[in-house]
Amino acid sequence: QKGGKIHENTEVTEIVRLGGGNHFMIKTPCGHIVARKIVIACGAYIDSDLNGDIAASNIPIRGYLMVTETLEKSKLESAVRAPYAVYDNRHVCSYFRPLEDGRILWGAKAGFFKDPSDLKGVLLDDMISVFPQLEGVRAEKAWSGLMGYSSHGMPQIGEIEPGIWYSAGHGCSGMTVTAMAGELIARAIAENDIAYRAFSPFGLSHAGGTLGKIGAMLVYSSFIVRDKLAV
């Protein structure tokens, strides 16, 4: 409404501070933009060439999702009777919600290096282990996406250098925290609000690269064992 433009699916290849230091050039394969302020909100999807500090501070971990075929109302309600998003209290939790068209959106498990060869089957097995009455239900589609986890477990929100802001490390925090980060950074830029400084003690600590990912995988494996022992 105020004349801003959004260019989706446009990769940023380089950020250059221009002479005088008050403006930046954001380069893309098809052109460039000059701006006074930049917010880098890439999570796990960031190249170290774009900003090494942000890239090094996140462990990229895969999350998995599936959507089932449309179920008859009685079949759906035999397992899920409330129109809410739900997650369970296991260490390696599952999360799900019924969709308006009678399908179930199901999320579970985590991956560290590559997707399972039968992702649909893995997620169906998880769903049926929770709701055995859904045996025989088919998966319509399954996919994965990367989440960025910080080493300290807190969201990363702040200004990495004058004019360049960051929002990252939201793995396991949920979309509500990403919205909060956007509000905090917007108020800081537009109103000089300092509430974002509450996150300064955490910052962009190094996540350990490949060793950090292996460490996270070992912790995740221990969570699986703890869940099995609790049964």
Side-chain angles (χ1 to χ4, degrees):
Q1 291 177 341
K2 294 186 178 181
K5 295 181 179 180
I6 297 174
H7 297 270
E8 296 182 336
N9 300 315
T10 303
E11 179 187 7
V12 176
T13 57
E14 188 179 5
I15 298 171
V16 179
R17 188 181 288 273
L18 299 178
N22 294 325
H23 289 77
F24 302 90
M25 179 183 291
I26 301 101
K27 296 183 178 180
T28 79
C30 53
H32 68 270
I33 300 168
V34 175
R36 290 184 294 109
K37 306 287 185 181
I38 297 172
V39 180
I40 301 176
C42 301
Y45 291 94
I46 184 168
D47 192 299
S48 59
D49 291 338
L50 183 63
N51 190 287
D53 291 336
I54 299 175
S57 71
N58 274 256
I59 302 173
I61 298 176
R62 295 180 181 275
Y64 299 126
L65 287 163
M66 161 191 83
V67 66
T68 68
E69 62 184 334
T70 300
L71 308 181
E72 293 182 0
K73 185 177 181 181
S74 59
K75 184 79 168 179
L76 175 63
E77 291 183 350
S78 72
V80 184
R81 293 181 296 277
Y84 308 122
V86 180
Y87 72 95
D88 60 47
N89 61 357
R90 293 179 293 178
H91 293 93
V92 179
C93 68
S94 300
Y95 41 98
F96 57 92
R97 66 170 297 172
L99 303 180
E100 292 182 355
D101 60 5
R103 297 179 297 169
I104 296 175
L105 178 66
W106 189 272
K109 309 295 185 183
F112 296 85
F113 293 97
K114 63 179 182 178
D115 294 347
S117 57
D118 181 18
L119 183 54
K120 286 184 180 179
V122 168
L123 295 176
L124 277 173
D125 287 346
D126 186 78
M127 183 182 72
I128 293 167
S129 72
V130 177
F131 297 117
Q133 62 268 50
L134 296 180
E135 179 75 45
V137 169
R138 295 179 300 171
E140 186 177 275
K141 183 179 181 180
W143 67 97
S144 68
L146 289 177
M147 300 177 289
Y149 285 76
S150 62
S151 59
H152 46 63
M154 288 292 289
Q156 299 161 321
I157 302 169
E159 191 176 24
I160 196 168
E161 60 179 270
I164 300 183
W165 296 80
Y166 62 87
S167 172
H170 297 297
C172 211
S173 297
M175 292 179 64
T176 53
V177 177
T178 66
M180 177 195 68
E183 293 286 349
L184 288 174
I185 293 172
R187 290 205 302 265
I189 292 174
E191 303 169 9
N192 294 316
D193 186 90
I194 62 171
Y196 75 92
R197 293 181 184 174
F199 291 88
S200 297
F202 309 104
L204 297 173
S205 57
H206 197 282
T210 301
L211 289 177
K213 186 182 288 189
I214 292 172
M217 183 173 63
L218 293 174
V219 171
Y220 178 79
S221 298
S222 74
F223 287 166
I224 294 175
V225 173
R226 291 170 67 181
D227 284 335
K228 289 184 181 296
L229 292 176
V231 174

